Amino acid sequence: MGTDQYGRSVAICSVDRVDLGKRMVQAGLAVALPAYSQEYVADEQAAKAQQIGIWASEFEQPADYRAAHPQKALPQAPRHTGGPMPTIVPTSPRNEVYFRNCREARAAGYAPMYRGQPGYRPEMDGDNDGVACEPYRGR
């Protein structure tokens, strides 16, 4: 669609005509950016009302965090913690990430995992908030 004020691409990403940004907002894994499009605003409001994903807790808007922590917001390469690599098991026509437990997911650097992400399984989401293998929050 173009570029933003920082020169980053602004685009709609899709697979088989499924808008991935829309799906992420609906799953509570992303926020709508009304400055670029009103397309996802209603989806964000629905996810927020249902307390899905990020809306199940309190968080700082990504743009606000980046503005307050400019050095921390720089893109970083994915890291591997040196732990065992995830087990890849065929579960469908394509391979997906599978962890036997949260200890294995943490060792591989994949935790926490959010509903819809590779490796997420409801059995690993003890409080059913859409976040598996999350750090203990002392609730």
Side-chain angles (χ1 to χ4, degrees):
M1 297 172 55
T3 56
D4 68 7
Q5 65 191 31
Y6 304 104
R8 299 176 297 196
S9 295
V10 177
I12 297 173
C13 298
S14 62
V15 174
D16 295 330
R17 297 185 181 160
V18 174
D19 182 336
L20 301 178
K22 183 175 188 69
R23 290 290 173 96
M24 289 177 65
V25 171
Q26 290 171 336
L29 301 175
V31 295
L33 298 173
Y36 298 102
S37 171
Q38 294 294 310
E39 180 66 28
Y40 307 136
V41 173
D43 295 311
E44 178 183 275
Q45 291 170 345
K48 194 174 191 178
Q50 296 173 38
Q51 296 185 326
I52 297 172
I54 58 177
W55 304 109
S57 63
E58 293 181 19
F59 71 97
E60 188 172 3
Q61 287 284 339
D64 295 340
Y65 179 86
R66 287 190 300 270
H69 305 91
Q71 292 304 314
K72 289 183 179 181
L74 295 174
Q76 297 183 9
R79 62 184 173 90
H80 178 65
T81 62
M85 292 301 290
T87 306
I88 306 296
V89 295
T91 57
S92 66
R94 65 185 194 283
N95 290 333
E96 295 184 14
V97 177
Y98 176 83
F99 299 103
R100 288 176 288 197
N101 53 45
C102 288
R103 184 177 63 231
E104 190 176 284
R106 285 187 191 101
Y110 272 73
M113 294 173 285
Y114 301 88
R115 185 178 294 125
Q117 288 184 324
Y120 175 90
R121 290 187 298 120
E123 299 83 12
M124 296 165 68
D125 184 357
D127 55 3
N128 197 32
D129 65 349
V131 184
C133 304
E134 61 195 304
Y136 176 69
R137 291 191 274 195
R139 289 189 215 182

